[in-house]
Amino acid sequence: MFVKICGLSTAQDVAAAVAAGADAIGFVLTESPRRIEPAAARRLAELVPEGVLTVAVFGREPSAEVREAATAAGVRAVQLHGDHPPAAFAGLRDLGLQLVRATSAAAGAGAACGDFGEDLLILDSPVPGSGRPWDWSELGANPPSGSWMLAGGLGPANVAEAIAAARPWGVDVSSGVEVRRGVKAPELIAEFVHRAKAAG
């Protein structure tokens, strides 16, 4: 089970995620309570071992801004969150980074990872960013193919249930491992990764 911990903003967060065995670490470079600057993301990315994917997360920023910020952040992947056309991913391919498409589950049921030229697909809650659990079984009945991650409302207490219901390739969490908005808890990160790996 591939596990991504997103919205990290401190060296302590990064150390906790790496120690727990996370496969990917996300840095938010778009409008959010978890937003950090590209220079800060680079400093944190430099703490991450080579085998762990570092991801810069963007929303509706123009392509030129995404390219500049991702390069400055020194990450290994770019995530575009929201309703982006295939051309947006094609326009970033020359960066030589992995491309991650994050969209709502309503838009992705029955889809396949790679439909938009992405390397990884994330299916989020029908209300992305809400942090609220939702009916994961809707995906389990017709799951996407390929390397796709389940997100939205996940936490240590429900990740095993969600994996059983939706049968994803991986899971992605942010608010579910926080003690308050934007502040991660190392013990919750460790518990989430452990439970997700065990369930997978």
Side-chain angles (χ1 to χ4, degrees):
M1 180 61 53
F2 189 94
V3 179
K4 176 172 172 276
I5 309 294
C6 200
L8 302 189
S9 59
T10 70
Q12 181 189 37
D13 292 345
V14 170
V18 169
D23 300 286
I25 290 172
F27 306 115
V28 177
L29 304 186
T30 190
E31 194 59 42
S32 165
R34 303 167 185 88
R35 181 176 189 164
I36 60 174
E37 294 300 316
R42 175 176 284 275
R43 289 192 294 272
L44 296 175
E46 288 172 350
L47 304 174
V48 180
E50 191 172 332
V52 179
L53 189 66
T54 49
V55 185
V57 179
F58 297 93
R60 298 191 175 278
E61 288 76 14
S63 178
E65 186 177 329
V66 170
R67 296 174 67 90
E68 181 180 356
T71 301
V75 293
R76 303 183 182 109
V78 168
Q79 175 178 321
L80 298 182
H81 204 116
D83 186 19
H84 294 272
F89 297 90
L92 297 172
R93 180 57 66 185
D94 67 306
L95 289 176
L97 305 175
Q98 288 198 50
L99 301 178
V100 184
R101 176 167 71 105
T103 188
S104 76
C113 177
D115 280 351
F116 283 49
E118 75 274 19
D119 300 294
L120 300 172
L121 172 65
I122 297 173
L123 295 185
D124 201 348
S125 158
V127 185
S130 68
R132 293 195 301 266
W134 49 287
D135 187 2
W136 303 298
S137 63
E138 294 175 8
L139 283 173
N142 188 24
S145 61
S147 302
W148 74 278
M149 286 176 268
L150 181 68
L154 300 179
N158 66 14
V159 67
E161 173 194 350
I163 288 170
R167 297 178 291 149
W169 170 84
V171 289
D172 183 15
V173 69
S174 183
S175 62
V177 291
E178 292 179 346
V179 288
R180 60 182 184 276
R181 194 162 178 81
V183 180
K184 299 292 189 284
E187 64 276 13
L188 292 179
I189 291 173
E191 186 180 0
F192 182 88
V193 175
H194 172 75
R195 293 194 177 192
K197 297 280 187 183

